[in-house]
Every structure is written in C-alpha cells, then in structure tokens.
Amino acid sequence: MKFDDRSIDWLAELLAEAARAEIMPRFRRLGEGDVRQKTSAADLVTEADVNAERLITARLRERYPDAMVVGEEACSDNPALLAGLGDAALAFVIDPVDGTFNFASGVPLFGVMAGVVVNGETVAGIIHDPVGKDWLIGAKGAGSHIRHAHDALEKVGVAAPVPMSQMTGSVSWQFLEEPERSRLARNQTRTLSQFAYRCAAHEYRLLASGHAHFVLYNKLMPWDHLAGALIHQEAGGHVARIDGSAYLPSHVDGGLLVAPDKQSWDELRRELWAE
C-alpha cells in the first residue's frame, strides 16, 4: 500500500488512538516501577512510551508490511534499527511520547510524533497533542495545518522575520561541550527572550504557528526532528544543519538551526557563534 493524502488522516488518528489507549490513562498516574532512566536522570522512558510505540508499530506493520518502522524506544534497545533509513522506500519514524521528562513529572507539555520517509525524503510530519486533542500536520508541497479537535483545519505560517535582537527562541546548549556551550548560552542573551519546553513537539508547534522565531538543537535523532522540520519548512520556514547543509533522514549529528527564513538563519548562525 502506498502512502497518500488519505494515509495522513489514518496515521493522525493512529497517534490519537495510542494517546487515548496508552498515554493519557497513565498521565499523573505512573507508579514507582513505571519510569526508568536511560542515559541519565533527564533521559527517561515510561510504560506509556513503550506501550504507545508498541501499539503504533503493530498497526503500521499491519497496514504497511513492507515499510520500515523506526521507533525511539526500539532503537534505544537496538541502534542498528536506524540503518537504511536514509534510502528507505517507505519508512515511519515514531516518537511515542516526546517530552517524556515532562510527562513523567506531570507537566502537560508532551506530544506524539510521526515522520514519513519515502525514498529517503521526508514527505509528511504529524505532531499530536494528547492534552489539546489536536494535530499539527505538514505534507510535502501542501503546507502545514493544525487540525483542531472539532475538525476545523487552520493553515499555519512561521513568524515574520525580525532582527535577532527582537527574536524569541531556544538554544539547547546543554548537549554541547565547552567552550561552545558557554558561547551559545552567552550569545542567546542578545535575543529578546527565550523558551525551553523540554519538548520538541511543542517547540516546533510554537515556531510553525508563528509564535516564536528559532530553535537550535545539537542532539539530532530522527524521531525528534523529522516531523517538526518538515512541518516548519511547509509553514514557510528555513531549516538546515549548522554547516548550512540540508537536513536529511539519515542525519544523526551536525546540529539543526530552525529560523523563519534564510536571512534570519544566516544572522543567527553568525551571531550565536560570535566570539
């Protein structure tokens, strides 16, 4: 079966189904054994992550038996599952609970994300908000929209370009080594204000809907960024790795800078790294 416009609706509903069945019943109800550390105290996995990914993966394999399915938790156990994503004929990249730290802390800022890759190119991205019960959806060449809980469809667009001194944004300097870490943290103060949601799903939503200007990520796993980057681009924004190269599904390093347009991107790239 091919992935088409009708498939986007099906996939959006699948993410909502996983949220209803496996995520929201556990929100603020996690037991002592339901949360585990992965790499650190800030990198968590819960029973909601595991069970939601299992449900989504099973449904995808039923409908698309020949497709590659890349889930965050499955790859955490077996990183080799990422191999081949860059040239897959059809692949689905799943983040069952983006913002797990927030979810485990009882903070209602988390999302379910899916990116769709066809012949090595991201062609669709979906971010579902289980709390707001809506979706942010982008499709290659078709723009980005919020599908509200009451079924209304609202086209979204990135913020109008402004000088860096008037920008609101986020710099994930915590994943960087010194001296770059301190340099970026210092230079971010040249902007108007900052946000830090600890949730790429909601950060990409903020940017794609025009309520903030930029984000800088250093950690670059596909489940965190394929959907959001495509949505941002379809909302009119500019996305590139730190060296200016295009961001591809196969990339797991090189950082990512997201801005309203190429001119804003160039200014941020120059000023954030200024000595």
Side-chain angles (χ1 to χ4, degrees):
M1 180 178 288
K2 292 184 178 180
F3 189 87
D4 54 23
D5 291 346
R6 287 174 294 179
S7 302
I8 293 179
D9 294 334
W10 177 86
L11 183 55
E13 177 52 37
L14 174 58
L15 301 189
E17 177 190 352
R20 290 191 300 267
E22 303 293 351
I23 298 172
M24 293 310 293
R26 292 179 168 90
F27 184 48
R28 296 177 176 168
R29 297 187 181 95
L30 292 169
E32 185 176 341
D34 294 336
V35 184
R36 302 181 299 281
Q37 288 188 20
K38 289 198 284 189
T39 61
S40 72
D43 185 15
L44 306 177
V45 61
T46 73
E47 287 302 297
D49 298 75
V50 173
N51 286 286
E53 182 173 304
R54 186 177 294 133
L55 186 156
I56 294 168
T57 299
R59 295 280 196 279
L60 284 169
R61 287 181 172 154
E62 288 173 4
R63 186 177 174 97
Y64 301 97
D66 297 325
M68 181 178 184
V69 181
V70 177
E72 177 181 9
E73 304 314 327
C75 286
S76 179
D77 294 333
N78 181 12
L81 293 174
L82 272 173
L85 178 60
D87 53 10
L90 176 62
F92 298 90
V93 181
I94 307 300
D95 192 339
V97 181
D98 182 71
T100 299
F101 185 89
N102 293 342
F103 178 81
S105 304
V107 176
L109 278 175
F110 51 89
V112 189
M113 300 203 292
V116 184
V117 176
V118 174
N119 296 322
E121 180 184 24
T122 308
V123 299
I126 303 174
I127 298 175
H128 175 56
D129 178 2
V131 177
K133 298 181 180 179
D134 61 10
W135 301 260
L136 180 60
I137 301 173
K140 188 73 175 179
S144 293
H145 300 78
I146 292 177
R147 181 172 296 159
H148 294 281
H150 50 77
D151 288 333
L153 203 62
E154 176 190 354
K155 187 174 178 63
V156 296
V158 299
V162 294
M164 181 176 164
S165 63
Q166 297 303 305
M167 290 186 193
T168 294
S170 175
V171 176
S172 296
W173 47 259
Q174 64 269 31
F175 295 109
L176 296 165
E177 300 294 331
E178 295 291 2
E180 191 176 27
R181 176 186 178 115
S182 293
R183 182 187 309 141
L184 287 168
R186 179 189 70 238
N187 288 339
Q188 187 184 4
T189 62
R190 300 182 185 182
T191 64
L192 180 66
S193 62
Q194 64 176 333
F195 60 87
Y197 287 173
R198 301 189 72 151
C199 176
H202 279 278
E203 291 170 355
Y204 276 116
R205 178 175 179 139
L206 198 67
L207 267 67
S209 55
H211 299 299
H213 298 91
F214 75 93
V215 289
L216 170 63
Y217 297 109
N218 185 56
K219 187 178 179 183
L220 202 59
M221 302 311 295
W223 44 82
D224 289 325
H225 301 293
L226 287 186
L230 186 278
I231 288 168
H232 186 77
Q233 288 172 314
E234 288 299 319
H238 186 74
V239 178
R241 292 203 295 171
I242 304 306
D243 64 2
S245 62
Y247 171 50
L248 302 175
S250 58
H251 291 150
V252 294
D253 56 19
L256 198 65
L257 181 57
V258 181
D261 63 359
K262 179 63 162 58
Q263 185 175 349
S264 301
W265 192 97
D266 288 339
E267 181 181 9
L268 287 162
R269 178 62 182 88
R270 181 177 64 252
E271 299 299 329
L272 286 173
W273 275 267
E275 295 291 348

